[in-house]
């Protein structure tokens, strides 16, 4: 009898924790489809990029320290897709900075995050993609 009571209490505890976990808000997973990426910038001589996505969103890509990316008219940022077209984290990016002369500079993304409207508001307009 005692074993039955202990088992019933365990089942009730599991059910209660499952119900409360289902009611808890789920963290928002910010992702974008690669073909919605419309432009990029590299403010100053920086170790990060800003990507414009879907016309209104700005994403920050932090790169390996010391990269110092400079954007110029003859440089192109290329992302090679491997698998899914969804970009949800830095590991989904395979970035290379290329130019017309064949120079290629691999860029290693360390982190990726969507900027808030407040963060976008403080970026100087010349630095936005």
């Amino acid at each position: 009898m005692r074993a039955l009571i202990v088992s019933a209490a365990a089942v009730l505890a599991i059910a209660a924790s499952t119900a409360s976990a289902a009611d808890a808000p789920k963290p928002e997973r910010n992702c974008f489809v690669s073909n919605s990426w419309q432009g990029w910038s590299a403010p100053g001589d920086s170790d990060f990029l800003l990507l414009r996505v879907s016309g209104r969103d700005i994403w920050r890509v932090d790169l390996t320290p010391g990269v110092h990316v400079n954007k110029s008219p003859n440089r192109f940022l290329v992302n090679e897709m491997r698998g899914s077209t969804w970009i949800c984290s830095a590991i989904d990016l395979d970035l290379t900075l290329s130019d017309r002369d064949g120079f290629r500079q691999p860029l290693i993304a360390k982190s990726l995050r969507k900027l808030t409207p407040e963060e976008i508001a403080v970026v100087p307009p010349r630095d936005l993609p």
Side-chain angles (χ1 to χ4, degrees):
M1 183 70 156
R2 182 175 179 182
L4 181 61
I5 292 172
V6 170
S7 296
V11 168
L12 289 174
I14 291 170
S17 68
T18 303
S20 65
D23 295 338
K26 294 180 182 165
E28 183 179 335
R29 185 169 183 190
N30 285 321
C31 300
F32 63 91
V33 180
S34 63
N35 66 3
S36 64
W37 171 1
Q38 298 170 320
W40 68 282
S41 66
D45 188 21
S46 60
D47 292 336
F48 70 92
L49 304 172
L50 296 176
L51 308 178
R52 179 169 298 280
V53 177
S54 300
R56 66 191 184 303
D57 296 332
I58 304 292
W59 291 69
R60 179 180 169 127
V61 181
D62 287 304
L63 304 170
T64 305
V67 173
H68 305 295
V69 175
N70 289 315
K71 185 175 181 181
S72 65
N74 68 338
R75 292 182 131 190
F76 305 94
L77 184 62
V78 179
N79 182 49
E80 182 149 349
M81 297 307 303
R82 302 183 192 282
S84 173
T85 60
W86 285 97
I87 298 174
C88 299
S89 69
I91 200 162
D92 298 326
L93 295 168
D94 185 1
L95 301 170
T96 303
L97 194 59
S98 299
D99 68 15
R100 291 186 173 107
D101 298 325
F103 173 78
R104 295 175 55 87
Q105 177 185 2
L107 302 175
I108 300 172
K110 303 299 275 181
S111 66
L112 171 73
R113 70 181 182 85
K114 183 177 176 182
L115 297 183
T116 65
E118 295 79 19
E119 290 172 314
I120 295 169
V122 299
V123 176
R126 71 178 181 280
D127 290 339
L128 290 172

